[in-house]
């Protein structure tokens, strides 16, 4: 059974049109992470939540926002997608900051 | 700054052994992870080292030397399904993961 679920698996949006990606987990983990992975590159951490405590990486563009309404769900909002935002977006969870991160299947975003 | 280096590509033969190296320079060290990532899929956890030495898990083993800033992932009895990218990731002093660029392994018959 899937434990970290991301919807949709593929998302097409238009340049400048806001888009939301979602992640849910059945693990009851405290920490949820969002990574951006461009083709043939390493995953890059955008931000993470420890419970409701939001932590933004210093170089994450303001165009990217996140919401975590409850333990199970976390959303990635891209306010005005540019062509350079086309990537795989990976959600991961862990019980704590010192624990192993488990990844969802990712959402591949295409910006036209 | 964070710097994690691993070879971009490697090729090996089915049934053989391959070693994928990773060197790192990070602000603090709280453990090193290896993940496997098939094309278009999410990374899956393989191994974790926080102390020096070898961790063995079936066909996969991972080694760490903190003084040298060095790790390797050893894959034995290679199978075609092992063709994937292998990501080295270091947890830094802030407990966040920084990933290397990944090593794409191609297993040939």
């Amino acid at each position: 059974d899937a434990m970290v679920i991301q919807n949709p698996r593929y998302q097409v949006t238009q340049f400048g049109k806001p888009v939301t990606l979602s992640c849910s987990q059945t693990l009851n983990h405290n920490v949820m992470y969002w990574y951006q992975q461009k083709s043939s590159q390493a995953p890059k951490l955008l931000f993470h939540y420890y419970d409701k405590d939001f932590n933004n990486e210093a170089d994450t563009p303001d165009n990217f926002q996140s919401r975590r309404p409850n333990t199970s769900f976390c959303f990635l909002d891209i306010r005005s997608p540019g062509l350079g935002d086309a990537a795989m977006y990976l959600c991961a969870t862990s019980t704590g900051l010192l624990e192993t991160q488990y990844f969802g299947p990712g959402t591949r975003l295409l910006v036209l | 700054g964070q710097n994690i280096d691993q070879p971009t590509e490697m090729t090996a033969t089915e049934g053989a052994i391959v070693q994928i190296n990773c060197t790192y320079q990070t602000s603090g060290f709280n453990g090193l992870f290896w993940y496997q990532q098939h094309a278009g899929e999410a990374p899956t956890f393989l191994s974790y080292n926080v102390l020096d030495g070898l961790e063995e898990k079936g066909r996969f083993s991972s080694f760490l030397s903190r003084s040298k800033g060095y790790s390797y992932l050893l894959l034995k009895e290679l199978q075609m399904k092992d063709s994937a990218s292998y990501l080295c990731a270091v947890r830094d002093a802030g407990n966040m993961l920084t990933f290397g660029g990944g090593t794409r392994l191609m297993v040939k018959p």
Side-chain angles (χ1 to χ4, degrees):
Chain A
D1 288 337
M3 294 178 290
V4 183
I5 303 159
Q6 291 189 245
N7 286 307
R9 295 292 307 277
Y10 299 90
Q11 176 74 56
V12 181
T13 191
Q14 291 178 332
F15 183 93
K17 185 175 180 181
V19 66
T20 294
L21 310 182
S22 77
C23 177
S24 63
Q25 52 131 340
T26 60
L27 300 164
N28 205 33
H29 281 177
N30 294 315
V31 193
M32 295 186 79
Y33 309 80
W34 279 105
Y35 288 85
Q36 178 193 64
Q37 186 178 27
K38 295 188 177 179
S39 182
S40 301
Q41 295 184 23
K44 180 179 177 298
L45 181 65
L46 295 173
F47 24 61
H48 75 277
Y49 273 95
Y50 193 113
D51 288 333
K52 294 183 179 180
D53 184 22
F54 176 73
N55 296 272
N56 201 29
E57 291 301 294
D59 54 357
T60 298
D62 292 339
N63 198 25
F64 291 85
Q65 304 285 322
S66 185
R67 296 170 283 135
R68 189 179 186 186
N70 54 52
T71 301
S72 301
F73 284 88
C74 194
F75 299 99
L76 170 62
D77 300 309
I78 308 177
R79 290 192 294 189
S80 182
L83 298 179
D85 296 327
M88 173 80 91
Y89 289 88
L90 296 165
C91 174
T93 73
S94 63
T95 54
L97 294 177
L98 292 178
E99 306 306 319
T100 301
Q101 294 182 26
Y102 294 94
F103 286 81
T107 294
R108 187 170 293 281
L109 178 68
L110 181 62
V111 181
L112 300 178
Chain B
Q2 320 285 60
N3 193 34
I4 300 175
D5 287 318
Q6 28 179 154
T8 307
E9 282 189 0
M10 296 183 73
T11 302
T13 304
E14 192 176 16
I17 299 173
V18 71
Q19 177 175 312
I20 303 174
N21 295 324
C22 171
T23 58
Y24 63 88
Q25 293 173 307
T26 56
S27 52
F29 178 84
N30 276 326
L32 186 143
F33 295 80
W34 284 96
Y35 284 84
Q36 180 191 61
Q37 187 176 27
H38 285 99
E41 298 182 14
T44 55
F45 169 73
L46 289 178
S47 69
Y48 169 65
N49 295 71
V50 67
L51 299 176
D52 291 350
L54 190 68
E55 294 283 340
E56 296 187 78
K57 219 186 218 186
R59 293 190 298 116
F60 294 2
S61 304
S62 57
F63 171 83
L64 175 68
S65 168
R66 289 172 296 170
S67 61
K68 295 181 180 176
Y70 168 69
S71 172
Y72 67 72
L73 179 70
L74 194 71
L75 292 76
K76 302 176 191 173
E77 300 168 17
L78 279 173
Q79 302 175 9
M80 298 300 291
K81 67 178 182 180
D82 297 329
S83 293
S85 286
Y86 291 86
L87 304 172
C88 172
V90 174
R91 186 160 57 203
D92 61 22
N95 293 321
M96 292 297 108
L97 284 187
T98 299
F99 284 85
T103 298
R104 187 160 60 186
L105 174 67
M106 286 173 281
V107 180
K108 295 186 174 178

